[in-house]
Amino acid sequence: TLFESGQVRPLALSPDGARLFAVNTPDNRLEIFDVGVGTLAHVASVPVGLEPVAVAARTNGEVWVVNHLSDSVSVVDVTAPATARVVRTLLVGDEPRDVVFAGPGGARAFVTTAHRGQNTPFHSTIETILSTEGIGRADVWVFDATALGATLGGTPLTIVTLFGDTPRALTVSPDGSTVY
């Protein structure tokens, strides 16, 4: 009876294995847990955008949360969990679903979205996108995670258009050189 977006990557472990991050989709929050030997202890809850569906830890102190209904990504400082907070919001295409990090040092962020929406730089109408052959219907937004740009919603390095619809999950090769 309640509307909730489908989760794509609801859990992430910090690189050092000390913290577990979980999206709380119905409450629009990121939940933070300390990981102990055979135990989990809830330490914080951080408000993020509407209907978070994916989380990825870039470093031990920084987590990215994909907000499906807000068409955004929340960058959360989790250095001190008791005072964890959103430090940046990236505006991306319609209905983002996933985020992964790749490239040298994991400095490139890749976010899947639909090829429409208020934040896209494309000027086609939804009718044109959905009814014209050869126009991509999905995008992967690529950001430099270490330099997000000075604009309010962040500045992507590029937007890769795909000929699929509603892309979901991404994965990265073990050496970080390829995103699938």
Side-chain angles (χ1 to χ4, degrees):
T1 60
L2 298 176
F3 177 80
E4 289 179 21
S5 299
Q7 296 175 336
V8 176
R9 187 182 311 269
L11 300 172
L13 197 59
S14 62
D16 65 5
R19 293 208 178 93
L20 177 70
F21 306 100
V23 295
N24 182 341
T25 303
D27 203 25
N28 307 317
R29 294 180 173 275
L30 172 68
E31 306 296 343
I32 304 172
F33 297 87
D34 278 341
V35 178
V37 178
T39 65
L40 285 177
H42 186 264
V43 294
S45 184
V46 181
V48 291
L50 297 177
E51 296 207 0
V53 295
V55 59
R58 189 173 83 82
T59 65
N60 291 325
E62 183 178 287
V63 174
W64 290 36
V65 178
V66 176
N67 306 304
H68 187 71
L69 277 184
S70 294
D71 297 343
S72 67
V73 176
S74 298
V75 180
V76 183
D77 179 353
V78 295
T79 307
T83 58
R85 63 189 176 87
V86 174
V87 294
R88 186 78 190 260
T89 300
L90 304 175
L91 302 178
V92 295
D94 199 29
E95 299 174 346
R97 306 247 181 169
D98 198 13
V99 60
V100 295
F101 300 100
R108 296 287 184 266
F110 297 80
V111 180
T112 58
T113 73
H115 185 82
R116 58 186 182 268
Q118 62 186 353
N119 301 319
T120 61
F122 314 111
H123 299 289
S124 299
T125 65
I126 189 68
E127 294 81 18
T128 302
I129 291 171
L130 296 178
S131 64
T132 305
E133 293 181 25
I135 292 180
R137 295 190 176 110
D139 294 320
V140 176
W141 290 51
V142 183
F143 289 91
D144 179 342
T146 63
L148 295 172
T151 62
L152 177 64
T155 305
L157 295 174
T158 190
I159 300 172
V160 179
T161 300
L162 306 173
F163 291 100
D165 193 25
T166 60
R168 290 185 57 87
L170 293 167
T171 193
V172 179
S173 64
D175 66 357
S177 65
T178 306
V179 175
Y180 301 95

